[in-house]
Amino acid sequence: MHWKTKAACFRILGAIPFGSNLHFLAQRHVTRTWPRSAEHVEALVDVARKTINEFRALSTEQLPSSTFLEIGAGRDLTVPLALRMLGVGKILTTDVKRLAKLDLVNAAAKMVAAELAAPIPEFKSWSQLEAFGISYQAPFDASTEALPDISAFVSNEVLEHVPPAVLRAIFAKVATRMRPGAVSCIA
């Protein structure tokens, strides 16, 4: 789809009540982009691997004791799942709207585990996801809400959608919560 047409559709859906739900239903049943394809999950696992490599190269903190903050979790939490399966201790993953769905999280978890030759986790509740080491918070405003001390600030293809004033506020807030030697990995 031409990007201008796609942007116009997003604007329309964003302006009407339940537009986000309609968008998701169209993606799931018309374009069939949910759950993600194996190729798309593989690409996101590669993003997670690159993030881990950058963290190891730049930080003195050990991965199992690390806490990552991700802005822009999305519908299936593929990157946080991959980060956790690759050894990140804890992940706080956030969205401004609650988008994630457990069936999509489980579908992504299965594909990520296959890609990493790891045991397949299954989440019947959000509390099980939390026990796994991933805290999904949405709606969440990273510029105003309380944040834990973090080892890494990560975001993948999200920050370009954040208005500049809000982005400055997020960066200012995150900077106050970064542990000594913490890193940012923004794609």
Side-chain angles (χ1 to χ4, degrees):
M1 178 182 292
H2 189 272
W3 73 269
K4 287 183 179 181
T5 305
K6 186 175 180 181
C9 290
F10 286 146
R11 274 195 305 276
I12 292 167
L13 289 172
I16 62 174
F18 305 105
S20 176
N21 293 341
L22 292 172
H23 178 226
F24 171 69
L25 289 172
Q27 286 180 311
R28 189 165 209 166
H29 300 290
V30 177
T31 64
R32 301 201 188 289
T33 53
W34 291 109
R36 292 186 200 266
S37 68
E39 294 78 20
H40 197 177
V41 169
E42 183 180 331
L44 292 173
V45 169
D46 286 343
V47 167
R49 283 186 177 117
K50 181 180 176 195
T51 300
I52 295 294
N53 290 339
E54 290 173 359
F55 179 80
R56 285 184 171 141
L58 298 170
S59 179
T60 58
E61 189 169 349
Q62 296 298 308
L63 204 54
S65 61
S66 66
T67 299
F68 280 32
L69 167 66
E70 183 200 32
I71 304 281
R75 294 197 187 276
D76 65 0
L77 314 184
T78 299
V79 172
L81 288 164
L83 289 169
R84 181 69 184 100
M85 289 185 210
L86 287 165
V88 172
K90 293 181 185 173
I91 302 162
L92 169 59
T93 189
T94 67
D95 260 322
V96 293
K97 291 182 186 177
R98 191 160 190 89
L99 298 174
K101 302 191 179 307
L102 276 176
D103 66 319
L104 296 177
V105 172
N106 281 308
K110 185 176 180 180
M111 287 189 275
V112 170
E115 177 73 19
L116 298 175
I120 301 170
E122 186 176 346
F123 310 108
K124 292 183 168 68
S125 68
W126 295 107
S127 60
Q128 286 183 327
L129 183 70
E130 181 108 22
F132 180 71
I134 299 173
S135 175
Y136 174 62
Q137 302 294 317
F140 191 90
D141 181 349
S143 67
T144 61
E145 299 200 39
L147 295 172
D149 289 341
I150 59 172
S151 315
F153 171 53
V154 301
S155 191
N156 182 46
E157 298 180 3
V158 171
L159 297 181
E160 63 266 25
H161 304 290
V162 178
V166 176
L167 195 56
R168 281 190 293 278
I170 289 171
F171 285 160
K173 178 76 178 253
V174 167
T176 68
R177 304 308 307 167
M178 294 182 87
R179 297 175 182 164
V183 299
S184 293
C185 301
I186 311 296

